[in-house]
Amino acid sequence: MAVLSWKHHTLIQSLLERGPLTEKEFHFIFTGITGQNPGTHQGKFNDYLLKINRELSYVQLDLRACRDPYDGRVYFGVVNNVSDDQSKLGTKYSVPQIAFFKAIVEAIAQDVTAEGTICNLDALNIKLENQVLNNSGSQSQDVPAAFKNFTMSHKEKTLDQLVKDKWLCYTEDDNIGLGIRSILDLRSWFHNAGVPSCQVCNEAGFKAKLCPNDGCAVRIHHYCLKKRFSQKGMLVCPSCDTQWQYQPPKAEPIEVGDVETEPVQSQPSSNPGPSQPSLRSKRKRQRLDNVETAGCSSQASGANRKRVTRSSAHPR
């Protein structure tokens, strides 16, 4: 077994300490450590990642990259390759919180409109009892008291914590989407759950554009569609030959706290940056102000009826 140098250790430690990093941030750290830019030394960068992954495989970990379907940016992170009872002991979340998170992920992944979000009100109205029944397959299964006592306040606090830990995210329209840690960690789950893949990159298409033909199940990520459109000038569905109409987004996603990356030597603070609490507080006030709004579920139901013909899009 080869011994990793301090440079490899620093790269691993940066991801473990700070969580998933954007490609720009991770490249900045790599350049600070090695003195070489990954853009001009791609081979050396790949060799570092390959050597790190060989060693991480002994402890069932993996350093991987993925593209965030919400903003199109590439992220790097270290993920656990094992999902068993022993690995679950390391989580700080309670059993009801994990069930709540799982229900949100399933709702987003099973959305046939591929919006990649669930509205706040629908998330808060999720019944954990359904998780027990779904997992047991028996109507007579007793619901644990911890699930019954999981109140609306508990759900609000859990949502904020999951967003803070990057398991979930708030979108620009204040809906709830999957965070970058979920996108990194749940790649195998998306595949096993039958979540339809993007026709171009073959990654999970829970947040994607649908073929204009309602009878076609093809999905393409917006950044994959943009790349294809820029190459060909026009695009037709690879399955049904329906022409796609591509409209570039009006504005790029707002990046919270996207400032100059701090030097490698500095230690990350355990407290969020000054802009982050104000944003979370603002979003929380908006959610509390809108919690009485009843239009959320009806809008979602209408969207589901619109795409109900996409039978192949239902993961099982």
Side-chain angles (χ1 to χ4, degrees):
M1 185 172 67
V3 178
L4 299 180
S5 71
W6 68 269
K7 297 178 181 180
H8 298 90
H9 283 284
T10 303
L11 288 173
I12 298 172
Q13 192 66 25
S14 66
L15 292 172
L16 293 177
E17 288 289 334
R18 307 183 189 188
L21 299 174
T22 65
E23 183 178 45
K24 179 181 177 181
E25 293 168 336
F26 193 59
H27 282 186
F28 181 87
I29 295 174
F30 181 85
T31 301
I33 294 171
T34 65
Q36 295 178 322
N37 189 330
T40 55
H41 296 82
Q42 189 65 44
K44 187 176 184 65
F45 179 70
N46 291 340
D47 287 341
Y48 264 74
L49 299 189
L50 180 60
K51 189 173 183 179
I52 288 174
N53 272 330
R54 284 175 179 169
E55 303 309 309
L56 289 180
S57 65
Y58 289 98
V59 289
Q60 304 297 324
L61 296 177
D62 185 30
L63 194 165
R64 67 175 60 157
C66 75
R67 191 177 292 274
D68 189 332
Y70 298 95
D71 62 19
R73 294 191 295 177
V74 174
Y75 287 79
F76 288 84
V78 174
V79 301
N80 181 15
N81 286 329
V82 178
S83 178
D84 54 20
D85 292 337
Q86 287 73 29
S87 64
K88 293 176 183 177
L89 296 175
T91 181
K92 66 181 180 182
Y93 292 101
S94 66
V95 173
Q97 287 178 316
I98 294 175
F100 181 52
F101 169 68
K102 182 180 179 182
I104 292 176
V105 172
E106 290 176 348
I108 293 175
Q110 294 174 3
D111 178 18
V112 295
T113 65
E115 293 294 333
T117 62
I118 181 175
C119 80
N120 197 54
L121 187 59
D122 284 344
L124 293 175
N125 285 329
I126 286 176
K127 297 183 181 300
L128 298 190
E129 294 87 342
N130 295 337
Q131 285 290 306
V132 177
L133 297 177
N134 291 339
N135 292 334
S136 66
S138 172
Q139 296 295 327
S140 61
Q141 178 72 23
D142 292 333
V143 177
F147 281 38
K148 295 179 180 179
N149 298 331
F150 198 68
T151 65
M152 192 73 71
S153 175
H154 291 142
K155 293 177 181 178
E156 277 278 355
K157 293 178 181 178
T158 301
L159 281 177
D160 284 340
Q161 189 62 49
L162 288 168
V163 170
K164 180 181 178 181
D165 292 342
K166 301 182 181 180
W167 290 108
L168 297 176
C169 69
Y170 290 127
T171 60
E172 289 304 305
D173 53 3
D174 209 38
N175 286 330
I176 298 168
L178 299 185
I180 191 60
R181 289 185 68 179
S182 294
I183 299 168
L184 281 165
D185 272 58
L186 300 180
R187 178 181 292 173
S188 297
W189 183 88
F190 291 136
H191 176 75
N192 295 333
V195 178
S197 300
C198 169
Q199 188 74 16
V200 176
C201 68
N202 206 36
E203 293 291 340
F206 59 87
K207 168 67 174 172
K209 298 292 185 181
L210 302 178
C211 175
N213 179 4
D214 284 350
C216 180
V218 166
R219 302 180 178 198
I220 301 180
H221 293 131
H222 70 89
Y223 44 83
C224 293
L225 189 62
K226 178 180 178 181
K227 184 177 180 180
R228 281 293 184 91
F229 188 85
S230 63
Q231 291 173 345
K232 298 184 177 181
M234 64 176 292
L235 184 66
V236 295
C237 176
S239 178
C240 68
D241 293 330
T242 301
Q243 185 171 345
W244 288 61
Q245 300 294 331
Y246 173 73
Q247 292 182 345
K250 295 181 180 180
E252 294 296 323
I254 298 175
E255 299 176 1
V256 180
D258 188 12
V259 296
E260 280 300 316
T261 308
E262 58 191 73
V264 178
Q265 292 83 356
S266 62
Q267 293 295 325
S269 172
S270 58
N271 297 321
S275 62
Q276 194 171 1
S278 60
L279 179 64
R280 283 207 305 272
S281 299
K282 180 180 177 182
R283 291 192 185 280
K284 187 170 184 178
R285 286 195 301 270
Q286 290 174 342
R287 296 200 308 277
L288 291 174
D289 292 340
N290 296 333
V291 73
E292 299 297 331
T293 304
C296 178
S297 297
S298 60
Q299 291 174 1
S301 300
N304 286 340
R305 287 194 297 270
K306 181 179 179 182
R307 293 292 182 179
V308 72
T309 56
R310 299 179 182 273
S311 58
S312 60
H314 287 281
R316 289 291 183 265

